[in-house]
Amino acid sequence: TDFFSLYYVANRIASKDFDPLKQAFEDMGDMENASVYFDYWDRIHKYDFDKADVIVICYGRNDFLDNMPMIDESIYQEYLYGTSKGTAGALDTAIGVLKEAYPYAQIIVSSPSYFQRDDGNGGKLGADFSGNGIDYNLGGYVIYMLNASLYHSVTYLDNYFGLEFNSSNYEGYLDETGFYPNEKGREVLANHIVENFYFLKEKAVIAN
């Protein structure tokens, strides 16, 4: 599954060689959710990224729940800009790779929205709290994503501090797991991305 991380996928998109992704899900065999990885490969390997006007990077949830360090010694990191290594480095490297491969595409980094995680006792805890095996809070991840975006001069979209649902009014916006937005939450998130996209076009931040 490491082949489907942001770092590796960005390099596959840049090289236009998606065979390693295909081989990776084939090697999974009957592993649970293997079909999800097939669907992922099936979609992106058919797309001509040379025609992409906008590339939106949605990143952070899974690495957060896996307690991937924001800053650490890691192969992810190639550039130093204050946030150094780890998950921040994965985003940093991915943005750089995509910018170099597709210099005329507008890159938008879209942060995670509010979600919940297991509290270790069978209950739910907001991802804006650390502890119970998680060293960071989601707000910290979001700030590091902003830092990486600023470093590369790409557009950053805040769905954590800037979205209409948060830790105080999330009910009705998340699915039964608390991890993913439900239909209403996805609609709010999608509208937020689209509204900001057209706002940025009007301000000429995104070229026609």
Side-chain angles (χ1 to χ4, degrees), residues 137-176:
N137 63 48
L138 188 59
Y141 262 56
V142 169
I143 295 301
Y144 278 117
M145 293 177 72
L146 170 61
N147 289 343
S149 303
L150 291 173
Y151 176 81
H152 286 284
S153 299
V154 300
T155 304
Y156 177 75
L157 181 59
D158 174 21
N159 301 310
Y160 179 70
F161 296 105
L163 210 60
E164 69 180 63
F165 65 90
N166 50 49
S167 59
S168 62
N169 66 342
Y170 62 87
E171 292 185 3
Y173 293 95
L174 302 178
D175 67 9
E176 63 277 4

Side-chain angles (χ1 to χ4, degrees), residues 187-202:
E187 182 177 357
V188 169
L189 182 57
N191 286 339
H192 189 238
I193 293 174
V194 172
E195 288 167 3
N196 279 272
F197 172 77
Y198 282 106
F199 172 79
L200 292 169
K201 285 195 69 173
E202 290 175 1

Side-chain angles (χ1 to χ4, degrees), residues 69-153:
M70 286 304 305
I71 303 172
D72 194 15
E73 294 293 330
S74 171
I75 60 170
Y76 285 158
Q77 176 59 22
E78 293 181 0
Y79 309 103
L80 297 176
Y81 56 94
T83 57
S84 206
K85 303 181 180 181
T87 300
L91 179 61
D92 174 30
T93 304
I95 295 173
V97 165
L98 292 173
K99 279 190 68 174
E100 181 177 359
Y102 305 101
Y104 300 108
Q106 174 70 31
I107 295 177
I108 300 176
V109 175
S110 182
S111 82
S113 55
Y114 174 82
F115 63 93
Q116 295 183 307
R117 61 179 180 82
D118 294 333
D119 65 1
N121 298 307
K124 298 294 181 184
L125 182 67
D128 44 357
F129 291 96
S130 59
N132 300 106
I134 302 292
D135 295 329
Y136 301 89
N137 63 48
L138 188 59
Y141 262 56
V142 169
I143 295 301
Y144 278 117
M145 293 177 72
L146 170 61
N147 289 343
S149 303
L150 291 173
Y151 176 81
H152 286 284
S153 299

Side-chain angles (χ1 to χ4, degrees), residues 4-18:
F4 291 87
S5 67
L6 175 63
Y7 173 80
Y8 289 108
V9 169
N11 279 278
R12 294 302 96 215
I13 291 173
S15 67
K16 302 177 183 178
D17 177 13
F18 299 101

